[in-house]
Amino acid sequence: MGLKEQLAQWTAEVLAVQLKTADEVEAFRIHWLGRKGKMKEVMAMFKAAPDEEKRDLGKLINEFKQRVEHCVVEGSAIDVQSGGEDKQQYDWTRPDGGVPVGAHHPLSVVRREIISILERMGFVVSEGPEIEDDWHVFSGLNFPEEHPARDMQDTFFVNRSPDMLLRTHTSSVQVREMEKREPPMRIIMPGRVFRNEAISARAHCMFHQIEGLYIDKGVSFSDLKQTLLRFAQEFFGSDTKIRLRPSYFPFTEPSAEVDVYWGLKTEVDKRITKGTGWLEILGCGMVDPAVLEASGIDSRDYGGFAFGLGIERIAMLKYQVADLRAFFESDMRFLEQFQGEQ
Ligand code: DAH
């Protein structure tokens, strides 16, 4: 008998069947759909069939399978409805197959890991407001009045007041902390920041930073470098190398940008490091005395260092994510990959 005839016969059989109890439904299911069930036979016959018949046969098989599955679903429903009489048929203690577990967001994982490394070095966490005034975001950090970062193009202003804005960096929290605390202080300040940027694979209008600030007597540039080296080695691995390149920020002097050595082994390495092998991870420097003074700290007694890093940037490196937008799109296929990450 060909597969087609066989299917016709089985279809008649399935149509005639009457399932009354949970056991019958289950036996039916195993007979047709089980691991050694008849559907397996069908598939084997399908495989052996001549190619030109496969199209038609495929359709028939699908129909047949749906009919069988329909019977199983209907059969289970009847059983639940009949509840009372059939109690012993229905196993209420049967495991439910589990609830799908969620995953931590990759940005939370990275944020937590960075914080825990710095906490072990004696930094404490503090947070500040996302809606800020000009003083804490710019003026208190020594940004000159005409600095381009204040421009409408970079900053989102609130209610058209030129004094209220969404913070463009977490450095604003430095100012708040220096105003509030007495030195010495060792603080990290995680948070969301906002910039009026076109959204692309490399830029977003909202992202996350972690700011670091260390103020004490006799803090030197080598303290800064050692702290960052230690951090990089804890995060990226104990043989990680870093380099500091001179840079400029209004609130630090001298200022630097820090790169980690990523390597040049693969084509991807070459592309993301633009052929240099080095990748920038953060900005830093010695707190400018003008910034200390503006917050009421005597710069003759105290000095310090500060640094600021982008969480998305570090997460992109850690998980090799090429497009920043993936972090904000809530696509389950992306997020599920981080199951098990703490
Ligand atoms: N606020 C800077 C930015 O958003 C990052 C930064 C650079 C923070 C140097 C610092 C620092 O504390 O010392 O680009």
Side-chain angles (χ1 to χ4, degrees):
M1 201 187 317
L3 180 51
K4 207 162 163 185
E5 290 75 15
Q6 180 71 81
L7 282 172
Q9 192 190 326
W10 279 340
T11 303
E13 226 177 293
V14 167
L15 284 174
V17 87
Q18 293 224 349
L19 302 168
K20 288 192 226 61
T21 65
D23 283 347
E24 280 176 24
V25 175
E26 180 62 359
F28 176 88
R29 188 188 66 75
I30 290 168
H31 176 75
W32 293 105
L33 305 172
R35 212 153 45 84
K36 293 186 188 144
K38 286 264 184 254
M39 263 333 272
K40 286 279 183 309
E41 266 181 60
V42 173
M43 291 323 287
M45 287 168 83
F46 175 74
K47 247 186 165 166
D51 277 350
E52 61 277 9
E53 281 178 49
K54 283 207 162 132
R55 215 185 138 95
D56 284 349
L57 283 174
K59 202 161 148 252
L60 288 173
I61 292 173
N62 262 340
E63 278 167 19
F64 177 67
K65 188 161 180 235
Q66 275 167 15
R67 187 158 280 141
V68 171
E69 284 167 347
H70 181 75
C71 285
V72 174
V73 173
E74 289 282 286
S76 314
I78 291 165
D79 188 54
V80 173
Q81 277 161 20
S82 66
E85 305 109 64
D86 243 355
K87 237 186 236 147
Q88 75 280 20
Q89 311 285 0
Y90 201 80
D91 179 5
W92 296 103
T93 64
R94 196 180 66 185
D96 66 357
V99 178
V101 272
H104 291 295
H105 194 281
L107 294 180
S108 308
V109 176
V110 170
R111 174 184 187 271
R112 205 172 323 159
E113 188 176 347
I114 294 170
I115 288 176
S116 95
I117 293 169
L118 291 163
E119 275 181 338
R120 274 180 270 137
M121 294 186 198
F123 287 84
V124 294
V125 175
S126 193
E127 289 184 30
E130 292 175 348
I131 301 175
E132 263 291 7
D133 52 26
D134 177 278
W135 171 256
H136 291 95
V137 179
F138 296 130
S139 299
L141 286 164
N142 203 30
F143 278 78
E145 208 58 62
E146 72 287 2
H147 195 283
R150 292 167 179 243
D151 197 298
M152 295 290 288
Q153 278 168 20
D154 294 316
T155 308
F156 288 116
F157 289 88
V158 176
N159 273 348
R160 299 207 183 133
S161 155
D163 195 48
M164 294 304 288
L165 44 100
L166 298 183
R167 65 181 176 195
T168 56
H169 54 183
T170 44
S171 304
S172 55
V173 192
Q174 282 187 35
V175 180
R176 288 195 172 267
E177 293 299 323
M178 285 189 282
E179 286 170 343
K180 200 162 70 187
R181 295 177 195 244
E182 290 296 320
M185 58 187 98
R186 222 181 308 185
I187 316 166
I188 39 177
M189 295 147 275
R192 259 197 315 188
V193 302
F194 307 86
R195 286 185 201 175
N196 194 358
E197 303 229 26
I199 295 171
S200 72
R202 303 177 59 87
H204 209 281
C205 57
M206 182 215 69
F207 52 100
H208 299 79
Q209 292 186 328
I210 296 185
E211 195 79 15
L213 177 69
Y214 178 29
I215 310 258
D216 204 344
K217 289 184 175 153
V219 179
S220 69
F221 199 88
S222 54
D223 294 325
L224 169 62
K225 191 173 174 190
Q226 187 57 34
T227 303
L228 296 177
L229 175 62
R230 181 73 206 213
F231 165 74
Q233 293 185 336
E234 291 267 336
F235 192 90
F236 293 106
S238 55
D239 48 3
T240 302
K241 291 185 184 57
I242 64 168
R243 74 174 182 190
L244 279 71
R245 279 176 294 109
S247 184
Y248 173 79
F249 301 101
F251 36 94
T252 44
E253 182 59 37
S255 304
E257 275 164 323
V258 177
D259 301 338
V260 293
Y261 191 69
W262 194 251
L264 281 170
K265 287 193 210 77
T266 67
E267 281 309 309
V268 177
D269 294 345
K270 283 182 200 148
R271 184 163 48 79
I272 61 176
T273 67
K274 297 192 185 109
T276 65
W278 293 93
L279 268 176
E280 184 198 322
I281 58 159
L282 57 83
C284 64
M286 303 307 290
V287 181
D288 194 302
V291 172
L292 296 172
E293 295 291 337
S295 301
I297 294 175
D298 193 333
S299 64
R300 285 167 304 183
D301 291 341
Y302 289 100
F305 64 71
F307 56 91
L309 53 84
I311 301 183
E312 281 78 2
R313 194 179 175 91
I314 307 249
M316 284 169 93
L317 297 180
K318 174 166 170 149
Y319 296 120
Q320 312 254 318
V321 176
D323 191 325
L324 175 66
R325 289 168 289 197
F327 292 123
F328 305 115
E329 279 167 353
S330 303
D331 185 332
M332 292 300 285
R333 290 165 302 177
F334 173 73
L335 296 173
E336 275 168 357
Q337 298 175 73
F338 301 96
Q339 239 157 38
E341 294 278 333
Q342 291 302 315

